[in-house]
Amino acid sequence: MESELDYWSAKALLEWQVELGATEAMMDAPINRYELQDQKPKAARGAEAPPAPVKPKSVDPVAEAAKLAKSADALPSLRAALETFEHCDLKRGARNLVFSDGQAGARVMIIGEAPGRDEDLQGKPFVGRAGQLLDKMLAAIDLSRNENVYITNVLPWRPPQNRDPLPAEIAMLVPFLERHVALAQPDVLVLMGNISCQAVLGKRGITRLRGNWAQAWGKPVIPMFHPAYLLRQASAKRQAWADLLELRARLNSQN
Ligand code: URA
């Protein structure tokens, strides 16, 4: 069949294909390989067909996480278990696993959201600007990660561009977090911000939840504004101060 395209249109079309990545001219006209397949005799088709690929067994990452976390009988083995967990893609983009900082066995355990850039680089939670504010907040009620506070995050790996964790990521890391709390044995949990409220209490709404004691995983729990939020919203520091005093009072009353 004679081409109805003039020379310049044909040339422009060819250049467009080259731009799209075509590197080789194979035929004058395209071949519909689906039609070719249908024209073959049935027996030949069967004989040539490659074996059906074996479907990988689908795994439930939450069940896997629960099994691994349960097998850990101390904090170092929980950390090792997390290091072997391959179902969270965040791990592949992170430089370091961020497990914890502070004093294991302390009365206060703080649960943050996820490592940021500084935490990812150093492999420790709350070491950036939000962490420095957290240290000041703790010092104001006579607490310190060097003496009487233990710190971790819901996610041990940094999400790309510090994006919010996905519900599926939170779900598969909660079994490790729950085990972390059981092994660290704090008297109280402090939940910093919405993501840790979601993970531990199963709900968000930090403005409503903050400062109110709840119960989770057999422990008294107090949600507070995240220090990163306080850096952006200085007017919320007044409420954060009230929540810190509430925490101090609880610790004093349980002495
Ligand atoms: N924000 C968090 O929630 N955790 C960190 O470790 C650092 C910043």
Side-chain angles (χ1 to χ4, degrees):
M1 190 179 79
E2 204 168 296
S3 167
E4 287 160 16
L5 287 175
D6 62 69
Y7 169 82
W8 295 107
S9 308
K11 184 165 179 285
L13 278 175
L14 190 58
E15 281 167 0
W16 177 64
Q17 289 187 44
V18 169
E19 213 170 280
L20 289 179
T23 53
E24 230 171 308
M26 296 186 70
M27 306 272 171
D28 287 344
I31 298 175
N32 185 338
R33 294 185 189 276
Y34 293 104
E35 265 171 22
L36 286 183
Q37 175 78 6
D38 285 347
Q39 283 161 12
K40 274 191 201 158
K42 273 206 173 121
R45 251 190 274 160
E48 277 177 26
V54 183
K55 257 200 187 164
K57 254 209 229 151
S58 72
V59 285
D60 173 356
V62 180
E64 280 289 303
K67 203 166 69 182
L68 262 179
K70 199 170 149 206
S71 71
D73 56 5
L75 293 170
S77 47
L78 183 66
R79 184 194 172 106
L82 258 174
E83 268 160 358
T84 67
F85 186 66
E86 296 297 341
H87 301 291
C88 183
D89 284 343
L90 296 177
K91 180 179 185 177
R92 279 169 265 292
R95 283 191 175 81
N96 280 301
L97 172 87
V98 177
F99 186 67
S100 70
D101 194 22
Q103 308 304 310
R107 294 181 67 197
V108 178
M109 180 166 178
I110 292 177
I111 301 179
E113 177 181 327
R117 183 177 171 275
D118 296 315
E119 291 76 19
D120 180 46
L121 284 170
Q122 294 188 37
K124 274 189 195 177
F126 282 104
V127 290
R129 279 184 71 221
Q132 286 156 21
L133 177 58
L134 175 64
D135 285 339
K136 285 186 192 155
M137 291 162 67
L138 295 174
I141 53 165
D142 219 9
L143 293 174
S144 143
R145 70 171 91 192
N146 296 325
E147 284 172 50
N148 40 25
V149 173
Y150 186 60
I151 307 178
T152 192
N153 281 313
V154 175
L155 303 189
W157 297 290
R158 181 191 184 193
Q161 272 84 47
N162 299 341
R163 67 153 167 78
D164 277 355
L166 305 173
E169 290 163 349
I170 298 176
M172 70 177 81
L173 289 161
V174 161
F176 291 103
L177 183 63
E178 186 170 357
R179 190 74 184 139
H180 204 155
V181 171
L183 294 172
Q185 295 185 306
D187 288 346
V188 301
L189 293 177
V190 178
L191 307 181
M192 291 300 186
N194 265 326
I195 300 297
S196 48
C197 288
Q198 180 69 57
V200 177
L201 299 173
K203 55 186 169 189
R204 295 180 184 228
I206 191 65
T207 311
R208 205 171 17 89
L209 296 171
R210 58 145 282 273
N212 294 308
W213 288 99
Q215 195 77 12
W217 301 342
K219 310 274 175 203
V221 166
I222 186 162
M224 290 191 192
F225 283 137
H226 194 289
Y229 174 72
L230 297 175
L231 286 173
R232 298 191 301 271
Q233 200 63 249
S235 62
K237 284 187 182 167
R238 207 156 58 97
Q239 289 152 306
W241 176 235
D243 299 344
L244 287 169
L245 291 179
E246 177 59 38
L247 171 63
R248 182 72 261 174
R250 177 90 179 212
L251 294 173
N252 290 349
S253 74
Q254 288 177 347
N255 255 339

